[in-house]
């Protein structure tokens, strides 16, 4: 019985932190999408995430984005890209801290068409 309790305790100690990591469940524009207009860059997470950095890179280099969310943990992050983005391939790189304090990062790409 003591061995079973110790085994279950070890399993819970290993799996509980892994379950609380936030991950991007959805992005807008969707990863791999081709769009005509980008009204916002959006990230949706399964648990609150404190997005600490976001970078938008396009055909002419890095573009400025304006955060609509502060640095508070959120499940929906939103940033405004520049208006009239030129056609081409874009990459969004983000970094953040998950609800359990672990550093997280992600990348997604989309294309703006004429």
């Amino acid at each position: 019985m003591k061995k079973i309790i110790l085994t279950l305790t070890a399993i819970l100690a290993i799996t509980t932190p892994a379950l609380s990591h936030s991950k991007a469940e959805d992005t807008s524009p969707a990863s791999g999408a081709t769009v005509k207009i980008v009204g916002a860059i959006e990230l949706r997470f399964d648990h609150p995430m404190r997005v600490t950095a976001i970078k938008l890179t396009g055909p002419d280099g890095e573009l400025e984005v304006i955060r609509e969310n502060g640095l508070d943990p959120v499940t929906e992050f939103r940033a405004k890209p520049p208006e009239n983005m030129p056609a081409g391939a874009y990459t969004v790189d983000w970094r953040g801290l998950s609800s359990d304090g672990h550093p997280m990062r992600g990348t997604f790409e989309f294309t703006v068409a004429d």
Side-chain angles (χ1 to χ4, degrees):
M1 181 69 164
K2 189 175 182 181
K3 197 174 194 177
I4 293 172
I5 292 172
L6 287 173
T7 302
L8 289 174
T9 302
I11 290 170
L12 284 174
I14 291 169
T15 58
T16 301
L19 293 175
S20 59
H21 287 333
S22 300
K23 66 178 189 231
E25 292 204 316
D26 192 25
T27 64
S28 180
S31 185
T34 298
V35 298
K36 295 231 181 231
I37 297 171
V38 180
I41 304 292
E42 298 174 325
L43 302 161
R44 283 174 282 294
F45 300 99
D46 60 346
H47 291 95
M49 171 74 71
R50 182 185 316 267
V51 177
T52 57
I54 185 162
K55 182 171 92 170
L56 174 62
T57 307
D60 298 326
E62 190 171 342
L63 291 94
E64 182 179 358
V65 294
I66 299 168
R67 300 168 69 100
E68 292 186 9
N69 303 85
L71 288 172
D72 292 330
V74 294
T75 55
E76 294 185 18
F77 175 84
R78 187 175 162 98
K80 184 101 170 128
E83 290 185 21
N84 302 319
M85 294 168 54
Y90 289 83
T91 302
V92 176
D93 293 300
W94 63 268
R95 291 190 316 246
L97 293 173
S98 66
S99 56
D100 65 357
H102 283 86
M104 306 294 287
R105 66 178 358 168
T107 299
F108 66 97
E109 299 173 347
F110 61 90
T111 301
V112 173
D114 287 331

